[in-house]
Amino acid sequence: MAEFFEQTLQPHFNFWIYVILMMIGLWALIAKNNLIKKLIGMSIFQTAIILFYVSLGVKEDATIPILDPYGQAEHAAADAEGAETEGEKKRDSYIGKKSPDPDTMANPLPHVLMLTAIVVGVATLGVALSITQMIFKEFGSLEEDEILEIVKGGGVDD
Amino acid sequence: MIFAFDIIILVFLVIAAIISLSVKDLLSASMIFGIYGFLICLLWAEMGAVDVAFTEAAVGAGISAVLMVATVFNTKRKSSD
């Protein structure tokens, strides 16, 4: 059990959760009857995909991708003595120089791409919720089966 | 990335997703979905994606929860599943 956790689950834990969240979202989109529940499922699906892409940019012993070329050299020298792992030593030696080693920072490219995806996601959700309100005004219900029943019977008479 | 934080936040994330999809009250579902957004914002900050975390805090935990609550008040609160 412990071996399974260390070798299979731990190195790719984000990806396991990404698959689980994606399947939860897909299940909600297909199997849930209420329209708002379907939209919650859609949002969970979107965040699962964003989680996958952000996980690709993660590196071991890496800091946040912010360039700080000035005023950190003294701190770095003090930290280098107390640094334990190889990555920390490498990171500390590069702080204070003008072009830091990209290995010491998380990859910011997937972050920037996913920034757009989040904004598109909330726009999609807003449009979908306003369509839901119009459906409720027309049919008086948010349940998919009741709406389909009304549509099959020839729609609302007005 | 700190693995202990990672594992705790991810487990809570799955729990929040399942609960928000299984409660019958749509207002509770929207609020728990807001909690889900906040947890995923913590996860971005923990993974080093601070810019994504800012956006998610404003958009995921803020705007989408507000939009969803507004829709629930304009329609109805009960859900069949």
Side-chain angles (χ1 to χ4, degrees):
Chain A
M1 186 66 205
E3 200 177 305
F4 171 76
F5 182 79
E6 273 174 20
Q7 289 177 0
T8 313
L9 226 47
Q10 197 191 19
H12 303 296
F13 194 68
N14 279 17
F15 295 135
W16 286 95
I17 297 292
Y18 143 70
V19 172
I20 291 170
L21 281 179
M22 200 177 204
M23 288 306 114
I24 289 172
L26 193 63
W27 163 72
L29 273 171
I30 293 170
K32 284 285 171 184
N33 202 25
N34 190 283
L35 292 179
I36 293 181
K37 285 288 176 67
K38 277 179 191 283
L39 291 180
I40 292 177
M42 187 187 76
S43 275
I44 290 172
F45 196 99
Q46 283 171 343
T47 44
I49 293 168
I50 296 170
L51 173 62
F52 169 67
Y53 275 94
V54 174
S55 301
L56 290 179
V58 169
K59 290 169 194 163
E60 220 169 293
D61 293 324
T63 59
I64 55 175
I66 292 177
L67 200 57
D68 185 14
Y70 309 109
Q72 291 286 321
E74 285 167 27
H75 270 297
D79 282 353
E81 287 163 21
E84 283 154 11
T85 64
E86 198 65 25
E88 279 177 357
K89 270 182 200 163
K90 209 174 176 186
R91 182 194 66 202
D92 290 338
S93 70
Y94 277 108
I95 293 174
K97 288 182 185 171
K98 285 222 169 177
S99 54
D101 184 9
D103 286 352
T104 62
M105 293 175 173
N107 187 358
L109 183 64
H111 301 174
V112 178
L113 293 175
M114 289 310 110
L115 221 53
T116 322
I118 290 176
V119 178
V120 172
V122 80
T124 320
L125 187 71
V127 172
L129 284 171
S130 67
I131 292 174
T132 308
Q133 291 188 24
M134 289 178 76
I135 288 173
F136 185 78
K137 265 185 202 156
E138 184 81 12
F139 296 102
S141 171
L142 283 179
E143 307 297 326
E144 195 192 7
D145 52 349
E146 291 172 18
I147 293 167
L148 283 178
E149 203 65 35
I150 296 171
V151 171
K152 267 184 205 159
V156 279
D157 38 297
D158 57 348
Chain B
M1 196 174 94
I2 305 158
F3 189 69
F5 282 165
D6 203 49
I7 199 164
I8 291 168
I9 294 170
L10 286 170
V11 167
F12 272 112
L13 205 61
V14 173
I15 293 171
I18 290 171
I19 290 177
S20 84
L21 286 172
S22 47
V23 285
K24 305 233 169 186
D25 186 3
L26 284 177
L27 189 65
S28 319
S30 323
M31 287 343 285
I32 295 165
F33 184 66
I35 294 172
Y36 175 87
F38 180 68
L39 280 172
I40 208 151
C41 158
L42 280 181
L43 186 68
W44 301 148
E46 181 264 340
M47 290 203 300
V50 274
D51 46 350
V52 187
F54 288 144
T55 318
E56 184 71 40
V59 154
I63 295 174
S64 28
V66 169
L67 287 177
M68 221 165 256
V69 170
T71 309
V72 170
F73 276 121
N74 278 328
T75 56
K76 65 179 182 182
R77 236 177 114 163
K78 267 195 202 158
S79 160
S80 68
D81 55 357

